[in-house]
Amino acid sequence: MAQATKTKQTAELLQAVYKNVKMASDSILNLMPKVEDKQLKSDMTVQLSAYEAFASRAAKLLAEEGVKPVEEGTMTKMAAKWGSMMNTMRDSTSSHIAEMMVEGATMGVNDMLKQIRESENTAVSESALRLARDVCRFEEKTVEEMRNYLR
C-alpha cells in the first residue's frame, strides 16, 4: 500500500513538471517566429532545448513509475497559441516578448514551488523532487536572463 501511494504521489509531481515544461516549450515555439533579435532568438533556442531535456527526464521518470506522460489538451494548447498571437499582434518587440517570457517563467516557478512544497513531506521519490527543483532553478535563471531584454 505504501508503495502504491508513493508511486501515485511521485507520478502526480512528475506530471505537473512534464506539463509545465511542455507548456514552456510550446510558448517558445509560438513566440519564436516573431523574434527578430538574434541574441534573444539564440537565448530562447537554448531555453527550448533545456525545456525539452526536462520533459525527457520527466517522461523517463514517469515510465519508471509505469505511467505515461499526459500533455495539455488541444483546447488548452490552442488557447495558449491564440494568446501569444494576440499578445504580439500590436507589439512584437524584443522587450515585449522578453516580458512575456518573464511572466511565463514566473508562473512556472510559482507552480513548481507549490508542487515542491506539497510534495516535500510526502512519499514522493527524491529523483522527482530533484527534477522539480532543477526546473524551478532553471526558470528562475530564465527570468533573470530575460530581464536583460526589458527596456
Side-chain angles (χ1 to χ4, degrees), residues 75-90:
M75 293 303 290
T76 302
K77 286 184 176 187
M78 290 303 293
K81 187 171 187 127
W82 179 258
S84 291
M85 185 179 78
M86 295 304 290
N87 253 324
T88 56
M89 192 175 290
R90 285 195 179 133

Side-chain angles (χ1 to χ4, degrees), residues 35-89:
V35 178
E36 294 178 11
D37 182 297
K38 288 181 182 185
Q39 186 59 51
L40 177 58
K41 189 171 271 202
S42 175
D43 288 347
M44 289 172 70
T45 301
V46 169
Q47 290 170 9
L48 177 62
S49 178
Y51 281 124
E52 289 299 324
F54 285 130
S56 179
R57 280 176 61 190
K60 181 179 181 242
L61 290 171
L62 280 164
E64 290 173 7
E65 298 295 327
V67 179
K68 279 184 65 174
V70 177
E71 291 194 35
E72 292 291 350
T74 305
M75 293 303 290
T76 302
K77 286 184 176 187
M78 290 303 293
K81 187 171 187 127
W82 179 258
S84 291
M85 185 179 78
M86 295 304 290
N87 253 324
T88 56
M89 192 175 290

Side-chain angles (χ1 to χ4, degrees), residues 23-39:
M23 286 298 288
S25 293
D26 289 346
S27 292
I28 291 172
L29 290 171
N30 290 336
L31 291 171
M32 196 77 82
K34 305 277 187 173
V35 178
E36 294 178 11
D37 182 297
K38 288 181 182 185
Q39 186 59 51

